[in-house]
Amino acid sequence: MPDTYFYRYDDFDRTLVAERVEQFRDQVRRRLAGELTEEQFKPLRLTNGLYLQLHAYMLRIAIPYGTLASRQLRKLAEISRKYDRGYGHFTTRQNLQLNWIRLEDAPDALAALAEVDMHAMQTSGNCIRNVTADHYAGAAVDEIEDPRIWCEIVRQWSTLHPEFSFLPRKFKIAITGSPNDRAAVRVHDIGLRLWKNEAGEVGFEVIVGGGLGRTPMIGKTLREFLPRDELLAYLEATLRVYNRYGRRDNLYKARIKILVHEIGAEKMREEVEAEYLSIRDSALRLPAETIEAIAHQFAPPVLPERPMISGRVEAERLSNADFALWLKSNVAPHRVKGYAIVTASLKPAGSPPGDASAAQMEGVADIADAFSQSELRVSHEQNLIFPHVAIDDLPQVYKSLAALGFAEANIGKITDIIACPGLDYCALANARSIPVAQRISTHFAGLARQHDIGDLKIKISGCINACGHHHVGHIGILGVDKNGVELYQLSLGGDVDFGKTAIGTILGPAVTADKVVEAVDSLVATYLDNRQDNERFVDTYRRLGAKPFKERVYAAV
Amino acid sequence: MPLFSEAGLPASYVPLSFSDWQQRPEWPAVSLANTDPVEDLAPHVGRLRLIVLNFPKFSDGRAYSQARLLRGRMGYRGELRATGGVLIDQIPFMLRCGFDSFESEQKGFEEALAKARTLFSVVYQPTEDGRIPASRLRLDHTVAPTP
């Protein structure tokens, strides 16, 4: 039996990561010796995941396609204890950030990561970033093909790509293998969606030029159907067009979405297709054997079918109302009969979204060993997922998670808030995000009420760069600075669901920090007064428009 | 600016700017801005002996694409020189894109160049430097290690 059900490094991968650590060790030495200026050192440290934040260096560790083995999570806990302050922050890009790293320690921290086949390469800088995927990949009921196979192929191709390491700006790729997109592929520089055409062949829809940030845009489909073995040729062609023609005169206009917007999707398609045709039949074409070898490593665990109804679950459901709610919100269907996908909420009432202490990470790793094939996922909604849990084990998983503080029955609810680190940590932020999330979370803490309010996604960013994805929140909250005062701009109606992807509309004037909770409360009250049938918040908003929400919010604040 | 190359200093040609060279396309050496249309050199690459590509800042990576198009698409075989923001830590990338000479003022450049090809013994991408990427080596089961 393999020890993991996802890609395992071989000696090639291990050698490259080890050599990269040694290269960085030498670069840090030269920086500390004064042989490199900070300007020269900056892109080197960034492409090794090291940021200089407000108070200290931050290390952003790549968790490719959000998939982790329990032994890797234990190592992350160990690293956070040894080189940081004993906790980490899971991000909206399925990465882990440690906020208090010393420059001198960074090479050793990276060497420790390499021991469990992990790295921090290309989690920052103007290069191809860590590739993200559907967090239910390999377990989802609606999956056509495991997108992580393709993420791994892209990970290798993009790692230390000699042509694309000094792009105009960062470049983010996301891949989904399901019709119900959980990877937000329309708001990435490139989004790839696997689908099956009428001939029964599986290929990619290639979506280019989406993104959030200062200028939110929905990506354009450049290719309806791309044969899978031509993926790298198409990516290389797209990146080459971007590297050559993307703007470099203005940092805020340098993403590929601006190029697509300025020259138009048609012209972009022409350029990319022309480039692609001249490299399609090169060494970039993926041999079937290569694809099969990587796909083989993602072969799912063999899970014997089990009963869907469990006496233990039913007994607990009747006696424990919180558990009953948890089953509804935190447990999703699995493709194998008798199993479920469980989401551990890293959003207990009043806590910073996405934070986990070393002890909590170890506790989660123990649960994965006992109940989920030693495997975990990080979601872009900053939660941790057990992909393969037997239904009969759900009461025990719940109890173990409750002991860690991760059993809040709030997935998809108003307190399952996405928030960027904000002004508490980040050098770019204009305003704090985490305390706002904490106040909203505390205000709406009652589970029965949250479940009554239903599905509602709140997303908070501390600046226009939109790391908290506020543009696509049902309620988006953006922190802005006005003459030294932190204000918060509200927007409504954003969405990342495939086919419904939308950028939210600003509601009205920004409100002060102490009024954010009242404003959100007014929005929710307007919804509750007006909802019909099983309408979600965002559906009511779409039906009624902004007016009733706006009137109530500004009457209250 | 000091000039470095793996093969020792090459024969010297004085490159013309792209606009001057267009007036005299029989001249064997040209220097391109990173916005000049590299495709226009295609009919002439057999005759050219030196092409200089410019990095206005080390962080402006357009010339990497120009280099790959010259080596890969057009089959240029002459000297390909990087100038401008050329730093030690970019050498491995530049070699992989087909550069073979470098103008740099950075201290220690010569030593770094001597080591640059062996800094990474594994590569993942097929490029113009002829190195065999890991994905191909894995298909050759006589050398592929077992996971």
Side-chain angles (χ1 to χ4, degrees):
Chain A
M1 202 174 83
D3 58 345
T4 60
Y5 301 96
F6 59 96
Y7 184 76
R8 291 173 290 285
Y9 275 22
D10 62 15
D11 285 350
F12 293 117
D13 304 299
R14 287 203 186 97
T15 301
L16 185 135
V17 170
E19 288 170 344
R20 178 67 165 177
V21 171
E22 288 318 302
Q23 182 194 35
F24 188 56
R25 196 181 292 284
D26 181 59
Q27 289 165 341
V28 170
R29 181 194 61 73
R30 284 188 282 138
R31 172 69 189 123
L32 293 171
E35 293 171 29
L36 286 171
T37 65
E38 174 54 23
E39 194 210 352
Q40 291 168 345
F41 181 59
K42 189 177 170 188
L44 306 177
R45 65 170 164 77
L46 287 180
T47 50
N48 284 287
L50 201 64
Y51 275 76
L52 187 53
Q53 291 289 54
L54 281 179
H55 312 291
Y57 283 98
M58 177 271 277
L59 181 64
R60 184 183 288 159
I61 295 165
I63 301 174
Y65 30 95
T67 299
L68 269 179
S70 54
R71 69 186 174 93
Q72 293 175 316
L73 185 57
R74 280 200 187 85
K75 180 61 83 172
L76 294 174
E78 182 191 316
I79 291 170
S80 77
R81 267 204 197 95
K82 188 163 178 188
Y83 300 107
D84 205 275
R85 296 189 180 175
Y87 70 97
H89 177 75
F90 289 97
T91 77
T92 55
R93 294 225 2 108
Q94 302 181 313
N95 296 313
L96 180 75
Q97 295 182 178
L98 301 177
N99 283 303
W100 307 95
I101 292 282
R102 293 167 64 238
L103 178 59
E104 297 84 332
D105 290 338
D108 289 337
L110 293 177
L113 270 182
E115 289 170 21
V116 290
D117 299 342
M118 295 183 75
H119 61 74
M121 277 186 263
Q122 296 177 205
T123 55
S124 179
N126 294 332
C127 54
I128 302 166
R129 299 289 187 89
N130 183 34
V131 182
T132 55
D134 179 357
H135 44 263
Y136 289 173
V141 174
D142 57 356
E143 188 168 277
I144 293 158
E145 185 168 297
D146 193 331
R148 297 173 303 163
I149 298 163
W150 300 96
C151 290
E152 177 57 30
I153 287 170
V154 173
R155 185 191 74 82
Q156 294 187 24
W157 164 79
S158 63
T159 296
L160 303 187
H161 197 298
E163 185 179 352
F164 306 134
S165 289
F166 294 92
L167 295 168
R169 200 73 179 86
K170 59 189 169 183
F171 203 93
K172 298 175 182 178
I173 301 175
I175 311 181
T176 184
S178 295
N180 299 301
D181 175 26
R182 286 170 290 264
V185 295
R186 289 222 171 251
V187 288
H188 279 80
D189 294 287
I190 291 183
L192 299 166
R193 184 176 72 92
L194 284 155
W195 66 287
K196 197 177 270 183
N197 68 11
E198 282 167 7
E201 301 154 339
V202 176
F204 294 101
E205 179 184 356
V206 183
I207 300 152
V208 176
L212 299 174
R214 191 168 294 254
T215 320
M217 287 193 190
I218 309 289
K220 310 288 186 298
T221 299
L222 284 201
R223 224 354 153 83
E224 285 289 344
F225 187 89
L226 179 76
R228 284 173 297 182
D229 61 342
E230 295 173 27
L231 177 65
L232 294 186
Y234 207 88
L235 292 180
E236 189 142 312
T238 309
L239 265 296
R240 182 168 291 156
V241 169
Y242 171 56
N243 190 43
R244 296 186 73 191
Y245 304 118
R247 287 181 60 172
R248 293 175 188 259
D249 59 322
N250 181 338
L251 182 68
Y252 302 123
K253 297 187 188 297
R255 295 287 288 271
I256 195 172
K257 62 190 172 188
I258 303 292
L259 176 65
V260 175
H261 180 71
E262 286 182 353
I263 70 175
E266 261 321 301
K267 177 74 177 155
M268 186 71 191
R269 182 178 299 118
E270 268 173 44
E271 294 279 348
V272 169
E273 290 280 336
E275 185 60 41
Y276 154 77
L277 278 179
S278 41
I279 53 177
R280 185 180 59 181
D281 299 312
S282 70
L284 286 167
R285 189 188 279 275
L286 289 156
E289 199 183 340
T290 297
I291 300 171
E292 276 159 25
I294 290 182
H296 181 69
Q297 303 217 35
F298 287 93
V302 178
L303 302 170
E305 288 195 359
R306 304 169 63 122
M308 291 295 285
I309 305 294
S310 149
R312 285 202 284 178
V313 170
E314 294 315 308
E316 186 70 16
R317 189 206 298 269
L318 290 173
S319 63
N320 182 344
D322 286 355
F323 177 73
L325 291 175
W326 182 79
L327 287 177
K328 284 188 189 169
S329 54
N330 295 39
V331 177
H334 192 282
R335 66 165 69 136
V336 179
K337 186 170 165 258
Y339 292 82
I341 304 170
V342 171
T343 302
S345 171
L346 270 55
K347 324 278 180 72
S351 296
D355 274 13
S357 69
Q360 285 171 319
M361 289 185 225
E362 286 159 349
V364 167
D366 290 343
I367 297 171
D369 281 342
F371 301 109
S372 184
Q373 310 290 328
S374 300
E375 194 173 312
L376 289 148
R377 305 292 169 72
V378 183
S379 74
H380 78 268
E381 290 172 328
Q382 303 180 281
N383 292 309
L384 291 174
I385 287 159
F386 302 100
H388 311 291
V389 178
I391 286 175
D392 198 43
D393 290 333
L394 288 173
Q396 281 174 274
V397 170
Y398 177 77
K399 199 185 283 180
S400 308
L401 282 173
L404 297 175
F406 286 165
E408 196 84 355
N410 65 348
I411 298 306
K413 307 302 177 205
I414 190 166
T415 63
D416 185 11
I417 299 169
I418 288 185
C420 71
L423 196 53
D424 293 301
Y425 297 98
C426 177
L428 302 172
N430 293 319
R432 284 167 293 178
S433 309
I434 291 170
V436 173
Q438 288 174 297
R439 283 206 298 278
I440 295 171
S441 162
T442 305
H443 180 79
F444 289 98
L447 287 181
R449 184 164 176 228
Q450 288 191 53
H451 278 252
D452 177 43
I453 295 167
D455 288 352
L456 206 176
K457 292 181 195 288
I458 295 185
K459 306 192 184 209
I460 308 174
S461 304
C463 79
I464 195 81
N465 293 307
C467 296
H469 300 178
H470 66 277
H471 297 298
V472 288
H474 297 159
I475 300 175
I477 301 176
L478 166 66
V480 294
D481 171 293
K482 212 161 200 178
N483 306 320
V485 181
E486 292 167 64
L487 296 179
Y488 294 86
Q489 200 174 67
L490 302 167
S491 58
L492 299 183
D495 206 336
V496 282
D497 288 354
F498 200 83
K500 285 184 274 186
T501 308
I503 305 297
T505 307
I506 295 170
L507 188 68
V511 302
T512 52
D514 58 328
K515 298 290 186 192
V516 173
V517 172
E518 270 174 70
V520 172
D521 199 74
S522 299
L523 291 171
V524 171
T526 311
Y527 158 64
L528 292 176
D529 287 352
N530 289 286
R531 73 172 160 193
Q532 295 177 353
D533 308 322
N534 291 322
E535 239 176 18
R536 299 173 305 157
F537 173 90
V538 69
D539 302 323
T540 304
Y541 166 77
R542 284 181 190 146
R543 180 168 55 80
L544 294 177
K547 192 158 174 274
F549 293 93
K550 192 170 175 176
E551 282 170 1
R552 188 132 167 195
V553 166
Y554 293 102
V557 302
Chain B
M1 220 185 307
L3 179 64
F4 305 91
S5 82
E6 288 178 299
L9 290 184
S12 179
Y13 297 94
V14 179
L16 299 177
S17 73
F18 182 62
S19 54
D20 290 347
W21 176 84
Q22 282 178 304
Q23 308 304 313
R24 295 178 58 191
E26 71 286 354
W27 187 253
V30 60
S31 178
L32 298 188
N34 68 7
T35 49
D36 286 333
V38 69
E39 287 85 350
D40 290 5
L41 299 187
H44 309 279
V45 290
R47 234 183 12 251
L48 283 162
R49 292 289 168 269
L50 169 66
I51 299 175
V52 182
L53 298 179
N54 186 30
F55 292 80
K57 288 183 292 191
F58 72 87
S59 54
D60 183 337
R62 280 176 274 201
Y64 292 106
S65 288
Q66 288 179 315
R68 291 202 62 199
L69 289 170
L70 282 167
R71 291 292 196 210
R73 186 78 41 86
M74 299 172 218
Y76 172 63
R77 294 264 166 266
E79 180 184 351
L80 189 57
R81 183 183 298 169
T83 190
V86 178
L87 300 175
I88 284 170
D89 294 288
Q90 295 161 259
I91 303 173
F93 294 136
M94 290 184 168
L95 288 171
R96 295 225 63 213
C97 290
F99 288 100
D100 55 6
S101 73
F102 309 87
E103 285 185 306
S104 176
E105 282 172 337
Q106 201 177 15
K107 207 175 117 227
F109 197 93
E110 191 164 10
E111 296 76 11
L113 178 60
K115 285 190 290 192
R117 273 196 203 274
T118 51
L119 208 51
F120 290 98
S121 55
V122 176
V123 296
Y124 283 134
Q125 308 80 9
T127 71
E128 289 64 46
D129 65 351
R131 294 184 66 180
I132 303 169
S135 57
R136 289 281 157 182
L137 292 173
R138 285 174 181 134
L139 294 180
D140 179 357
H141 298 285
T142 57
V143 296
T146 47

